[in-house]
Amino acid sequence: MMQLQVLLVAGTHGNEINGIFLFDQWKKLSNLINTHGIKTYSVIGNPEAKKAGKRYIHQDLNRSFKEDSFLSINSSDFEGSRASELVNLYGEVGEKPCLIALDFHTTTASMGSCLVVYGRRDADLALASLIQNQLGLPIYLHESDQKQTGFLVESWPCGLVIEIGPIGQGLLNSRIISQTKLILETFMEQIHQVKNLTFYFPEKLIIHRHIKSIDFPRDEQGNIDGYVHTQRQSKDWQELKKYDELFFKLNGEIIRFEEDEPYVPVFINEAAYMEKNIAMSLTKRELWDFKKEWKQSLIDLVNQK
C-alpha cells in the first residue's frame, strides 16, 4: 500500500499569517502536531505576498487554479505561475504526489471556525462530515458561482478550506492559532482513523449551501454609498427574516432584506471581498443525509494501493 501524502497550505493569502506562524513553529518543534504517521508537506502558498504583507501580488492565488492557466503560464503573473508550480510539485501526479489538500485561511468576518467545500465531491463531503462530527463546525458549500472559480483545493482529489475569524489582516491572535492547531490535529486524527477503518461517520450533516452573493449599495457612478447595517454586522450564520436590515446610508435610508427565503448570511463585510463586489454571501441551511458512497470514496482514496 502506498503511503498517503497530505498537502497542508497556509498563506495562500500573504496577509493571513496565523497559519504561517503555526507552520513555522511546527518546523522548530516537530512534535507540536501529531500527524499519526501520515506524510505531510506544509507549505506557504504565496511566499511573495507574505514577504510583501499583501493578499496577493498580481491576482488572488485562490482563484488561480484553472486548467487553462496551467497550459499557458504568463511569467509576469506570479500567482498563475505559483499555482502551476504547486500542482507540479504536490498534485496527484506531481513530484511529491498528495491526494488530500487542506488550505488554512482567516477572515475579517465573524465566521468563527468553519469548513468550506467546493462542489459536491464525495470524499470532500465525507471528510467534512467527520470533522463536523468531532468539532461541530459549520460547512459552507460553495457552488454555482461562475464568478468565483479556480480554488486551490479543487486541484487535488480531496480538499477542504478552513476559515477562522474574525481577525484583522496581518495580525496574530492566540485564539486563531489555537483553533487552527485543533482543526489540523483533528483532521490528521480522522484521516488516521479512516486508514485504520476505526472511524465513525454521522448519519446527518448540516450544510450551508451557497445561493448568491450581494454587493454594497452603489451610486450612479458605481461608488459604494452605504455600509453594512449595525444590526447585520457580525451576525454571520444568523438566519435572515423578511425586512431585516442589511445596509444603511447616511441619508437615513435603510436597505432591507426583501425576500421570502430564510437565507443565512456568511462572510459579512469581509475586507478582502470588497474588491470582488461582495458585501456578504447568502446561503440556505440544509440537513443532509450522509451517503454511503461518500464514505467509500474517502476510504478508497486514503487506502490507495
Side-chain angles (χ1 to χ4, degrees):
M1 182 181 296
M2 295 175 57
Q3 182 183 25
L4 176 68
Q5 299 189 144
V6 174
L7 176 65
L8 306 171
V9 185
T12 299
H13 298 132
N15 57 3
E16 297 176 8
I17 64 173
N18 288 266
I20 295 173
F21 177 82
L22 179 61
F23 283 14
D24 286 345
Q25 297 306 303
W26 187 9
K27 289 179 181 178
K28 298 174 185 176
L29 304 167
S30 59
N31 63 344
L32 183 65
I33 295 166
N34 185 355
T35 61
H36 299 277
I38 298 169
K39 176 66 176 177
T40 62
Y41 295 99
S42 55
V43 304
I44 306 305
N46 199 330
E48 292 302 311
K50 175 201 168 191
K51 291 177 186 175
K54 299 166 60 177
R55 183 174 173 87
Y56 54 80
I57 301 300
H58 296 117
Q59 66 176 4
D60 192 331
L61 178 61
N62 205 31
R63 306 295 187 277
S64 299
F65 288 80
K66 302 177 181 179
E67 291 186 9
D68 55 349
S69 67
F70 298 152
L71 299 176
S72 56
I73 295 302
N74 180 355
S75 60
S76 66
D77 172 7
F78 175 76
E79 279 77 18
S81 298
R82 180 60 172 160
S84 180
E85 179 182 35
L86 287 170
V87 171
N88 288 335
L89 280 172
Y90 303 107
E92 186 176 7
V93 294
E95 295 176 23
K96 303 171 182 178
C98 296
L99 296 177
I100 301 175
L102 200 64
D103 188 14
F104 288 94
H105 290 257
T106 56
T107 170
T108 64
S110 296
M111 294 283 285
S113 297
C114 74
L115 308 174
V116 183
V117 177
Y118 297 105
R120 305 191 184 201
R121 298 189 303 187
D122 290 350
D124 293 354
L125 291 167
L127 183 56
S129 71
L130 286 172
I131 298 175
Q132 183 178 81
N133 190 52
Q134 292 295 313
L135 300 178
L137 303 186
I139 298 171
Y140 172 35
L141 173 63
H142 193 283
E143 63 178 4
S144 304
D145 187 347
Q146 296 307 310
K147 294 180 180 179
Q148 300 287 319
T149 60
F151 299 100
L152 183 151
V153 296
E154 292 181 299
S155 288
W156 276 261
C158 176
L160 302 178
V161 163
I162 307 303
E163 286 278 5
I164 308 177
I167 179 68
Q169 296 165 340
L171 295 177
L172 288 176
N173 178 279
S174 60
R175 177 180 59 85
I176 303 294
I177 294 167
S178 63
Q179 289 181 2
T180 302
K181 182 174 180 292
L182 173 62
I183 295 169
L184 175 53
E185 289 175 334
T186 302
F187 165 80
M188 299 309 302
E189 178 185 1
Q190 292 303 305
I191 291 296
H192 173 72
Q193 291 189 12
V194 173
K195 281 184 65 68
N196 290 279
L197 302 179
T198 57
F199 51 80
Y200 172 76
F201 285 102
E203 294 182 1
K204 307 278 187 179
L205 67 160
I206 300 171
I207 292 287
H208 289 80
R209 180 169 58 86
H210 177 87
I211 302 299
K212 61 183 176 180
S213 297
I214 60 176
D215 193 6
F216 293 90
R218 295 182 183 270
D219 61 21
E220 293 178 356
Q221 287 73 45
N223 300 310
I224 292 175
D225 69 349
Y227 51 86
V228 174
H229 196 282
T230 184
Q231 294 298 320
R232 199 55 42 222
Q233 181 62 48
S234 304
K235 301 292 179 62
D236 301 75
W237 307 112
Q238 296 187 26
E239 186 176 294
L240 286 168
K241 296 180 175 57
K242 195 167 186 178
Y243 306 125
D244 276 350
E245 303 89 343
L246 291 179
F247 303 102
F248 183 76
K249 295 186 178 184
L250 288 179
N251 65 4
E253 180 185 356
I254 296 175
I255 297 175
R256 298 179 181 274
F257 179 66
E258 300 285 354
E259 302 188 47
D260 294 317
E261 294 284 353
Y263 291 148
V264 177
V266 297
F267 287 108
I268 299 173
N269 215 11
E270 159 59 46
Y273 289 177
M274 186 171 283
E275 68 176 25
K276 302 181 190 301
N277 300 334
I278 296 174
M280 65 188 75
S281 293
L282 302 181
T283 71
K284 276 190 175 182
R285 184 182 288 126
E286 299 175 346
L287 185 63
W288 287 12
D289 292 326
F290 186 89
K291 297 182 178 180
K292 60 182 181 181
E293 53 263 36
W294 300 350
K295 168 183 171 180
Q296 195 59 51
S297 178
L298 185 60
I299 292 173
D300 291 346
L301 184 73
V302 169
N303 294 287
Q304 276 194 19
K305 297 180 179 180

